[in-house]
Amino acid sequence: MPLSRIAVGMPGEASHPEALRAALAEFISMLIFVFAGQAHAFALIVAVSVGANISGGHVNPAVTFGALVGGHITLLRGILYWIAQLLGSVAACLLLKFATGGMETAAFSLSEGVSSSHAVVFEIVMTFGLVYTVYATAIDPKKGNLGTIAPITIGLIVGANILVGGAFEGASMNPAVSFGPAVVSWTWTNHWVYWLGPFIGAALAAIVYDTIFIGENNHEQLPTTADY
Amino acid sequence: MPLSRIAVGMPGEASHPEALRAALAEFISMLIFVFAGQAHAFALIVAVSVGANISGGHVNPAVTFGALVGGHITLLRGILYWIAQLLGSVAACLLLKFATGGMETAAFSLSEGVSSSHAVVFEIVMTFGLVYTVYATAIDPKKGNLGTIAPITIGLIVGANILVGGAFEGASMNPAVSFGPAVVSWTWTNHWVYWLGPFIGAALAAIVYDTIFIGENNHEQLPTTADY
Amino acid sequence: MPLSRIAVGMPGEASHPEALRAALAEFISMLIFVFAGQAHAFALIVAVSVGANISGGHVNPAVTFGALVGGHITLLRGILYWIAQLLGSVAACLLLKFATGGMETAAFSLSEGVSSSHAVVFEIVMTFGLVYTVYATAIDPKKGNLGTIAPITIGLIVGANILVGGAFEGASMNPAVSFGPAVVSWTWTNHWVYWLGPFIGAALAAIVYDTIFIGENNHEQLPTTADY
Amino acid sequence: MPLSRIAVGMPGEASHPEALRAALAEFISMLIFVFAGQAHAFALIVAVSVGANISGGHVNPAVTFGALVGGHITLLRGILYWIAQLLGSVAACLLLKFATGGMETAAFSLSEGVSSSHAVVFEIVMTFGLVYTVYATAIDPKKGNLGTIAPITIGLIVGANILVGGAFEGASMNPAVSFGPAVVSWTWTNHWVYWLGPFIGAALAAIVYDTIFIGENNHEQLPTTADY
C-alpha cells in the first residue's frame, strides 16, 4: 500500500542547505515557467529540465504530492517545495504585471456552462495523465533512456491536455500556476477546483503506478531518518 | 519468411501477471492518449513514452499486429493488448463525454467525394510509414541511440500524416482511436476502413523491414514456449 | 583539400547487397517523407531517423552530394542513393495523386517578382545551413551526445528555413523533393534552381566543415578499395 | 564570489587556431540562426547544436557574458566570440536583403506605450531564464543526460519567452540578433535596451547558478594560463 510509504522526515531536514537549495530551484523554475507561461508546453519542458538535477524538477504542487504519496519525497521537503512553488508563481505574475506596465495575468476560470464538478473531473483525468507520465519517464527506476526525454514528454502531455481542456476550464493541472494569477488579480471563484482535481489525479496516478508498475519488492525504500 | 515467425504463445501466458500488467499499461496509455487526442502527435509521443518500458508502448492495434507479424510478440499477448487498447479508447471517450457535460468525440469519417477505396489506400500508406518508423527506431536491434528519441519520431510521423490525410478521411492509422468514438457515438459507417487499411499497412511494413533490414540470421528468435 | 577525398568506389560495390539495402532504405524514407511532406520539418525528422542506421538517413540528393564531397560516401553508392531518392519522391507523388483521387502536388515555383538568381542564393544559403547541420550533428566524429538528437536538428533547420524562404521560392533545399512533383505535374520551369542551389550550398558546407572543423589529421580516410 | 573567477586569458590565446576555429563556428552558427530567424525557437535549437562541440554553442553575446562571469570562458576568447557573433548577424541580414531583392529585416523596437525601462525589465527576466537554462542543462557538471536535450531546452525557453514578450518589445534576449537588423536598417532607437537587459539578466543567472547550484568546492577552476 503506497500510502504507508509517506515519510515525514527529520525536523532538521527542512533547514538543511541541500533542501533549501532544492526549494530555491523550484522557486526559480516556477518563476521562469509562469513568466513564459503563455506557452505552457514549451515553457514546462524548460522548467522541468532546469530543475531536474537539483530538485527533481516538479514545478507543480500536484507532482510534489504525487511523489509524496509514492514515498519518493518526505513531507517536510514537500512543504518546502510547495511554499517555493507558490512564491515563484506569485513572483512571476508580479514581474509580468510590472514589465507590462500593469497588465494582469487572467486567473483560471470555468467557461460558461461548465460546472465545477465537470471541471474537477477534467483536472483529475488530465493530472492523472501528467503524474503517470512523470512516474513512467522520470521516477520509475526502469525508465532507462526515456529519462533523457522525460522533460519533453512531461511538457507535451500538459500541452496536449490544454488543447482539450483549455476551452472548458483553463486546464491547469497545477495549483501553483492557478495560485499566482489568483493572488495578483485577487480572484478566488472556483479556485478550489484547481487544487482538489490535481491532487486527486496525482494521488491516483502515484498509487496505480507505484503499486502495479514499480511494485513492492523492487521499490527503493526511503529510510525514515534519511538525510534525503 | 516473416509470417512463419508468428508465435501463438503458451495458454498460461495470457493470465501471467507480467502480461496483465503490460495490458494494463496499454489501457492507461491509450486512455491518456485518446483523452488528450485532439493533439495527436504530442499526445502520442507521451503515450508511447509512458508505455515503452512496460508493454513496448504500442498504443495501437495496428502496431501490435505489425509486431506480431514480425514475431516480436505472441498472439495471446497481442489479443490482450488489443482488448486493453479498445477498452482504453472507449473509456477515454466516455470520460470526455462526462467531463464536457455530454459532448461526443466525432467518429472518423470520409470527407465528401472520398471513396472508401481511396481512404483505404491512405490508411495503408500512412500506417506503413508509422510501423516502418516503429521498426526502425524501436524494434530494430541496431537502433542504438535512436531508441532515445523513438517516441518523438513515432509521434511526429502520425502528426505529419494527419496534416496530409486528415482533411480526406481523418487519418487514423489506429483502429482503437477510431473504435472509441464509433462506440460512444454508435456510428459505424465505413468503420472497416480504419481496420483494414492500418492492418495491411502494418503487415507490409513489418514484412519489408523484418525481411530486408533485420534479416534472418541476426534475428533473435522468439522461443515458442517462452515466458515472454 | 576535401575534393581529393572523393572516392569512386569499386565496380562491384553498386550491386553489393548492403549497398542495395541502403538504397532501398533511402527510397522508403523518401517515400514516407514526401507522402507526409506537407509538414516538412516533422516528416523530415522521421525520414532521417528511419534511415539513419541503414543508409545514413540522407533523404536528400544534396546531402548525399555533401557527403561525397567530404569523402564520406563513394560515388557509386552516391549514384545509387540519388536514383533511390528520385524514385521514392516520384512514387510518393503518384500514391498521393491516387489516394486523393487525382489531386497533384504542386511543383515548386518562384513567387512573382523573385528572380531565379535570388532563388539560387536562397537555396545556397539554406542548404549550406542544412548540410552544415548534418556535418556537425551526424557526420563529425566529435558529435558525441548530439548524435541522439541529430534527426531533430536536421528537421528543424529545414522547418526554420521554410518559414523564411517558403514564401519566396518554396524553400526546397532538396532536389528530390522538387523532382517528384515536377515529374507528376510535368512542370519544369526553373527546376534547375532546385538542383544548382542545393548542390552549391552542400558542397560549400562540406568543404568548410570538413577542412576547418574535422581537419586532415583526425579524418578517417575512406580506403579506396573499401567494401563500404 | 563568481566575479573573481573572470579570467583574462593569455595574449596569444586570441590568435590560437582552436580559438579562431571556435569563433568561426560562432560566426556560422549565428549566420544560420539569423538567416532562418523568423522561427527563433527552432532555428536556435539548430544553431546551439551545430556549435555545441566546437565553441560551446553560445550564439548569443549575453550567453558568452554569462559564461565569462562564471569563469567558464576567458575574456580574450569572449571578445573573439562577440566579434564573430556580431559579424554573423550582420552577414545574415545582408544575405537576406540580397536574396529577397532588397527587403530589410525590421529592427527590434518597443511597441507603442511600452517604456524603455519596462522593456529592460522584460529583457532582464527573459535573459535570466535563458542563461539559467544554459547553466542548468549545458554548463553544470551535474547535468548528466540533460546535456543531450540541452539545445532543445535552450531553444524552447527563447520560443516561450517570445510568445510573452514579443508583442511588447520584440523579445530579443540576444544583442547580436538585435545588432544585425539595426546595422542593415541603420535604426538605433532604444538599441541599448537589447544590450543592457540581456547582460544584466545573464550576469544575474550566472551569479545565482554558479554560487548556489554549482558551488565553490566542486567548481573546476580555470587555470589562468590555460591553453583553453
Side-chain angles (χ1 to χ4, degrees), chain C residues 18 20 22 49 56 82 86 100 107 111 127-128 136 142 148 176 191 198 214:
Chain C
E18 194 275 328
L20 292 175
S49 295
W82 286 330
L86 296 177
T100 59
S111 298
T127 312
F128 176 90
K142 302 184 298 294
T148 302
H191 185 69
I214 297 189

Side-chain angles (χ1 to χ4, degrees), chain B residues 41-42 114 117-119 121-122 125-126 128-130 132-134 136-137 140 142-146 148-149 152-154 156-161 163-164 168 208-209 212-213, chain C residues 21-22 24-25 28-29 31-32 34-39 41-43 45-46 48-54 95-96 98-103 144-145 147-152:
Chain B
F42 286 180
V114 177
S117 61
H118 285 157
V121 172
F122 253 121
V125 179
M126 293 189 302
F128 176 90
L130 166 59
Y132 186 90
T133 302
V134 170
T137 62
D140 190 336
K142 301 185 300 293
K143 65 178 182 281
N145 274 348
L146 274 180
T148 303
I149 61 163
I152 296 177
T153 56
I154 293 168
L156 290 182
I157 185 60
V158 168
N161 277 334
L163 287 181
V164 179
F168 292 95
V208 165
Y209 201 97
I212 300 177
F213 298 121
Chain C
R21 260 201 296 274
L24 180 62
I28 295 176
S29 296
L31 194 155
I32 294 173
V34 174
F35 192 86
Q38 295 182 353
F42 287 180
I45 291 172
V46 175
V48 171
S49 295
V50 299
N53 289 321
I54 303 169
L95 272 171
L96 267 175
F98 178 72
T100 59
M103 281 176 54
N145 274 348
T148 302
I149 61 164
I152 296 177

Side-chain angles (χ1 to χ4, degrees), chain A residues 58 63 129-140 154, chain B residues 50:
Chain A
H58 294 180
V63 169
L130 167 58
V131 174
Y132 187 91
T133 303
V134 170
Y135 262 87
T137 63
I139 293 179
D140 189 338
I154 293 168
Chain B
V50 298

Side-chain angles (χ1 to χ4, degrees), chain C residues 1-2 21 30 53 59 66 77 96 119-120 145 168-169 199 204 215 224:
Chain C
M1 175 59 196
R21 260 201 296 274
M30 182 61 83
N53 289 321
V59 207
R77 176 182 281 251
L96 267 175
V120 168
N145 274 348
F168 291 95
E169 42 88 45
F199 271 57
L204 284 176
T224 48

